Amino acid sequence: MPKQILEGSRAVALTIKNIKPAVVSAYPITPQTHIVEDLAKFKSDGEADYEYVRAESEFAAASIVAGASAAGARVYTATSSQGLLLMAEVVYNIAGLRLPVVMTCANRGVSAPITIWNDHQDAMAVRDAGWIMLFAENHQEAVAQHVLAYKLAEQTHLPAMVNMDGFVLTHSYEPVVIPDEKLVRRFLGETRPAQDNLLDPAAPKTSGAFAAPTHYLEIRQALNDDLEKCLALLPGLAADYAKLFNAPRAAAPAAGDNGLLEYYGPRAAKTVIAVMGSLAGTAKDAVDEYNRGSAGKKNPAAVLKIKCYRPFPRAALLKALGRIRCLAVVEKAVSLGSAGPLALDIMSAWPSQRPLIIADFIVGLGGRDVTQEKLINIIKQAPKNNRQVKFIS
Amino acid sequence: MKQIRLHGRGGQGVVTAAELIAIAAFLDGREAQAFPSFGVERTGAPIEAFARISDTPIRTREHVYQPDVIIVQDATLLDAVDIAHGAHKNTLVIINTAKPPAAIKLPVPEKNIFTVDATKIALEIIGKNLMNTVILGAFAKATGLVSLAALKKAVMEKFSDKGPEITDKNLKAIEQAFKL
């Protein structure tokens, strides 16, 4: 598998082509557009044999892939921002119906005011829907997470969303290795729909129709429990993936990366910055720069990158953070009227007997550039901002 | 690591030029990255795009604030945008203009300014004012950051769907700019 230099969207589209879904349906929205345009072109050029269904809206696209998935087909869709919001009702249904739909969210801010640029507010709007949610740092990770998303989804009968930062990843060029079609087939196998849940005209049945108060709660609890089971599955699958695909060592995952999260930097770090998505790359350079300076030599910093956001890897996070005293959560979303969603998740996972200064920094909304300088300032400010939510302009 | 910032206007192919730099550097065997600052190009609006070239994998995603090279595709931007912001004493500036470097008012040493009339070359050889590839010939010559062979190969790859005639004209125009 040769290394190529590709646009992030092209890298994802080529990976999806090799995954060979039977049905692709999407409605174009910036910055997801290049992915689905590429997939449409592969189809029209005769390079792919999936059914490409043009939809009249994101609501329709999600419904089309939901229907195809319910009939047992491997499916793919992609969206961003308002498109994901319009899909929301179907997004919840897909999880409740236990359909292994895989979707790319090219992360973008939400209206109003209109923004086309990157943040994570769109994904956070559906974080409670029951989907597996992965976040990619770079093209290579986005590619791997798409293959892993299908593996996880089809193994657990749950939907999976791969989040990649709009423009920052979708519209950037960098070297990447696309997983070979034969290896993808070996890794994923054929899709095996849950037979008891399969829509079949020869044996009509209803799925997800109605649950009385006597049953609804247990059904939702079962969904929660099954989603949580991915935490035990993903590290093993990520290791299998690395073994099968990482012939060129350049594409190998970093040490400290278990598929759920990655810890980067000295183990004895005093302050750790927790991030998701492409911000991790900038954060790694920022902590390296900080650790070379006098402040960093005295109080070294490290990066915790959350790769699997739902289910939330509580145990892995506590293990990775060891005995740290200060955590700066740096996130591109906010639960308006409360705090950043990632900070809230970490606070709820943190045991009360372990003292921790936790500071929440909201950055990069609507595409505001997050510089290394800003991140170094955040490392310095964090100890003085316990339990504070700060917007960094 | 070398950092390159490109300035142009929407419709001039600024983002494509940044991508061609990254592709050429990759073809030279180096690590490379390119990305736009504005994803939606409005025709005529000032646009920035960025490229990085390195011998180790590139992780940072921040915009380019301390450019080693600044490329200006449209000289009218010299009066509209702070082109030189973040420039250091060795930053090279490549400008598409008929004027000589001495006539350019920028807070960088004159010896670091290179001018090329890429528009004229584009009109003569390509037949249209599409100078984003042309100015890269001057970039390759002035900076040595990408080889001419890799730059030409990058154009051939990127323009493969535009047909041989347009590709050949672009290659000829790049060579012309490289000679100057």
Side-chain angles (χ1 to χ4, degrees):
Chain A
M1 299 184 290
K3 203 187 247 195
Q4 311 173 60
I5 187 161
L6 296 171
E7 191 191 49
S9 296
R10 171 58 64 97
V12 167
L14 287 169
T15 304
I16 296 301
K17 178 161 85 90
N18 288 350
I19 289 169
K20 293 184 169 291
V23 175
V24 174
S25 185
Y27 187 79
I29 180 168
T30 301
Q32 152 263 39
T33 324
H34 289 184
I35 301 173
V36 298
E37 279 174 357
D38 280 350
L39 288 171
K41 186 152 196 318
F42 298 154
K43 171 71 179 174
S44 74
D45 289 349
E47 295 171 21
D49 54 10
Y50 39 74
E51 192 76 31
Y52 190 102
V53 187
R54 289 195 296 165
E56 75 272 22
S57 73
E58 287 87 356
F59 185 90
S63 302
I64 289 161
V65 294
S69 184
R74 181 177 283 170
V75 299
Y76 176 76
T77 188
T79 193
S80 296
S81 182
Q82 305 307 111
L84 185 62
L85 299 187
L86 185 57
M87 276 187 184
E89 187 197 303
V90 192
V91 164
Y92 271 75
N93 268 309
I94 286 170
L97 290 166
R98 307 296 190 108
L99 300 173
V101 170
V102 172
M103 158 154 64
T104 308
C105 182
N107 301 107
R108 158 183 159 182
V110 292
S111 299
I114 295 173
T115 176
I116 57 163
W117 292 292
N118 166 243
D119 65 38
H120 291 165
Q121 293 183 91
D122 53 1
M124 289 304 151
V126 297
R127 65 172 183 172
D128 300 331
W131 286 54
I132 299 159
M133 292 175 76
L134 308 176
F135 282 79
E137 175 188 334
N138 51 38
H139 295 187
Q140 197 64 60
E141 210 165 83
V143 160
Q145 287 183 348
H146 278 89
V147 181
L148 284 166
Y150 277 94
K151 186 74 182 176
L152 265 178
E154 291 175 3
Q155 204 160 325
T156 60
H157 304 292
L158 287 169
M161 181 187 303
V162 180
N163 291 275
M164 62 190 296
D165 286 321
F167 292 113
V168 183
L169 295 184
T170 57
H171 287 56
S172 58
Y173 271 69
E174 67 186 33
V176 61
V177 178
I178 302 300
D180 173 76
E181 187 188 316
K182 282 195 194 114
L183 290 184
V184 169
R185 195 183 311 139
R186 198 195 303 169
F187 185 74
L188 291 181
E190 294 298 316
T191 181
R192 282 199 201 85
Q195 289 305 320
D196 58 341
N197 196 26
L198 198 62
L199 282 192
D200 179 1
K205 67 165 76 75
T206 302
S207 189
F210 186 82
T214 49
H215 291 85
Y216 181 88
L217 190 146
E218 283 75 13
I219 293 168
R220 298 301 278 181
Q221 186 184 0
L223 177 57
N224 182 66
D225 294 349
D226 288 346
L227 186 59
E228 297 251 7
K229 285 177 191 157
C230 295
L231 294 174
L233 277 175
L234 183 52
L237 293 175
D240 291 348
Y241 180 94
K243 226 180 284 168
L244 189 60
F245 291 97
N246 290 343
R249 291 197 56 78
D257 181 347
N258 66 2
L260 298 170
L261 46 79
E262 177 191 346
Y263 185 92
Y264 175 85
R267 298 304 314 177
K270 293 273 192 280
T271 300
V272 173
I273 51 179
V275 295
M276 295 203 294
S278 66
L279 191 50
T282 312
K284 287 172 182 175
D285 277 7
V287 299
D288 281 357
E289 191 186 329
Y290 175 77
N291 289 344
R292 280 194 294 269
S294 56
K297 285 204 173 89
K298 218 167 17 172
N299 296 308
V303 177
L304 181 76
K305 177 178 79 179
I306 312 291
K307 299 174 73 172
C308 178
Y309 178 66
R310 283 291 180 272
F312 194 68
R314 292 160 163 255
L317 178 128
L318 296 183
K319 197 171 158 216
L321 290 181
R323 296 173 174 278
I324 68 137
R325 301 300 294 272
C326 180
L327 185 68
V329 183
V330 185
E331 49 189 326
K332 292 180 175 178
V334 58
S335 175
L336 295 172
S338 179
L342 181 57
L344 294 171
D345 281 313
I346 294 173
M347 283 186 215
S348 85
W350 201 261
S352 56
Q353 65 275 23
R354 262 164 77 172
L356 177 72
I357 294 169
I358 180 164
D360 190 14
F361 297 91
I362 312 298
V363 302
L365 300 188
R368 182 72 56 89
D369 193 24
V370 186
T371 62
Q372 287 168 217
E373 192 186 347
K374 276 184 197 170
L375 291 168
I376 288 171
N377 281 334
I378 283 172
I379 294 169
K380 290 176 183 163
Q381 280 181 39
K384 287 170 272 179
N385 283 279
N386 193 22
R387 304 269 156 173
Q388 302 289 311
V389 182
K390 280 196 118 173
F391 284 73
I392 303 297
S393 56
Chain B
M1 182 162 66
K2 295 293 180 189
Q3 307 194 88
I4 301 135
R5 189 171 68 217
L6 299 93
H7 295 268
R9 293 187 181 276
Q12 290 181 330
V14 191
V15 178
T16 302
E19 291 165 1
L20 286 168
I21 290 172
I23 295 169
F26 175 79
L27 293 171
D28 277 333
R30 308 191 71 189
E31 294 286 336
Q33 176 196 64
F35 60 103
S37 127
F38 298 111
V40 168
E41 298 176 42
R42 282 165 298 167
T43 302
I47 300 277
E48 289 180 14
F50 312 102
R52 291 189 171 96
I53 301 173
S54 173
D55 292 321
T56 52
I58 299 164
R59 299 183 300 200
T60 190
R61 305 280 171 188
E62 69 173 15
H63 295 180
V64 168
Y65 297 99
Q66 285 97 34
D68 299 292
V69 182
I70 298 169
I71 297 175
V72 185
Q73 292 187 343
D74 189 321
T76 64
L77 288 169
L78 294 170
D79 301 322
V81 177
D82 181 10
I83 294 291
H85 74 261
H88 52 77
K89 65 182 189 338
N90 295 320
T91 300
L92 303 180
V93 185
I94 297 147
I95 307 171
N96 171 26
T97 177
K99 291 179 187 167
I104 304 296
K105 286 191 188 67
L106 273 181
V108 291
E110 191 189 314
K111 68 174 173 56
N112 290 352
I113 299 176
F114 297 83
T115 61
V116 56
D117 198 346
T119 299
K120 185 167 169 239
I121 296 172
L123 287 171
E124 277 173 11
I125 298 176
I126 303 171
K128 277 181 192 165
N129 183 15
L130 292 171
M131 50 61 230
N132 62 335
T133 55
V134 186
I135 199 168
L136 295 182
F139 162 79
K141 178 72 172 285
T143 68
L145 284 175
V146 298
S147 68
L148 179 63
L151 181 60
K152 286 164 70 178
K153 202 170 164 214
V155 168
M156 284 188 267
E157 279 185 14
K158 181 96 183 143
F159 287 21
S160 61
D161 58 346
K162 294 190 195 288
E165 196 192 333
I166 291 175
T167 306
D168 288 348
K169 283 179 178 172
N170 274 278
L171 296 179
K172 219 176 131 199
I174 287 170
E175 281 170 9
Q176 179 71 20
F178 189 83
K179 273 185 219 154
L180 297 173

